[in-house]
Amino acid sequence: RKSMAYRGRELLTKLKAAGVGDRPVVWVAHSMGGLLVKKMLLDASEDPEMRSVVQNTRGIVFYSVPHRGSRLAEYSVSARFLLFPSVEVKELSKDSPALRELNDNFTRLIQEHNVNILSFGEMLPTYIGSMIKLHVVPPTSADLGFGDFIPLNVNHLNICKPGSRNSFLYQWSLKFIKDSLEKEFKR
């Protein structure tokens, strides 16, 4: 399995080659994807050829991202594989030093660049089969500690799937994206 650092660098390279970061961007990420976005932005900030990715980042929407880890590592191997099949689970352990360092460095970077942040947190457990019920990312981990945090009565799998265009989740996400890009539209 590949580490988060490897995956982040690989994805950053592909996105930059596709032109991401040449114009303003708002990232939208669910769960482990949010940790990858954080890692990509940190990597981009340290590479002169990639810095435009950070400089053009206007906002980030996080859907149940385990900023401070998850107790998922305590559950059975099959449950972990279903939810996070491609990443070493130890990287997601609650209060892991690697996640703490990622979060601290990301916090400094985002505050330096004045990036808007919106985080949603799951309040309902996720059912895996008929026997396993998990609260994958608790609100204390989904709340980055700055920006807006909105807990919702949905589970981990549904937090990034608005029921309709009229749903609170969809409307709030859309408003955030529009507000984050508002200056760009006025140019």
Side-chain angles (χ1 to χ4, degrees):
R1 294 184 181 206
K2 297 175 182 170
S3 70
M4 185 177 8
Y6 177 86
R7 288 182 187 282
R9 190 68 193 173
E10 181 180 52
L11 188 54
L12 174 62
T13 301
K14 289 177 179 179
L15 289 171
K16 182 64 178 159
V20 173
D22 294 343
R23 295 180 300 166
V25 63
V26 174
W27 300 92
V28 178
H30 174 244
S31 197
M32 184 67 192
L35 299 178
L36 287 172
V37 166
K38 290 164 69 171
K39 181 65 178 139
M40 286 188 311
L41 291 173
L42 285 168
D43 286 350
S45 73
E46 296 170 1
D47 183 339
E49 293 180 17
M50 301 282 190
R51 271 198 199 116
S52 65
V53 174
V54 176
Q55 293 164 341
N56 281 317
T57 294
R58 299 295 183 261
I60 307 171
V61 180
F62 290 120
Y63 295 104
S64 275
V65 172
H67 300 291
R68 290 173 190 80
S70 171
R71 297 206 162 226
L72 188 64
E74 297 170 12
Y75 292 95
S76 73
V77 172
S78 59
R80 289 192 314 245
F81 184 76
L82 283 170
L83 292 168
F84 297 108
S86 59
V87 174
E88 296 293 342
V89 174
K90 65 185 173 189
E91 289 184 322
L92 296 174
S93 296
K94 186 174 182 330
D95 299 320
S96 87
L99 276 183
R100 194 173 311 117
E101 181 182 358
L102 175 66
N103 204 44
D104 291 347
N105 292 337
F106 175 77
T107 299
R108 280 191 291 278
L109 176 71
I110 291 311
Q111 290 174 338
E112 230 174 74
H113 289 274
N114 198 26
V115 174
N116 298 318
I117 301 290
L118 173 61
S119 301
F120 291 100
E122 69 202 57
M123 297 302 288
L124 299 178
T126 300
Y127 291 85
I128 308 295
S130 60
M131 305 269 302
I132 303 171
K133 176 171 114 173
L134 329 161
H135 202 115
V136 180
V137 180
T140 54
S141 186
D143 185 354
L144 192 54
F146 59 93
D148 292 325
F149 176 71
I150 302 171
L152 296 174
N153 283 326
V154 294
N155 67 26
H156 188 73
L157 299 175
N158 291 325
I159 195 156
C160 59
K161 300 174 188 170
S164 73
R165 289 183 177 201
N166 295 323
S167 73
F168 176 84
L169 182 61
Y170 182 89
Q171 289 296 316
W172 200 261
S173 298
L174 181 61
K175 180 184 180 331
F176 175 83
I177 292 167
K178 285 180 176 179
D179 290 350
S180 295
L181 296 173
E182 184 177 30
K183 290 178 197 167
E184 309 307 320
F185 292 135
K186 289 182 177 179
R187 289 184 179 175

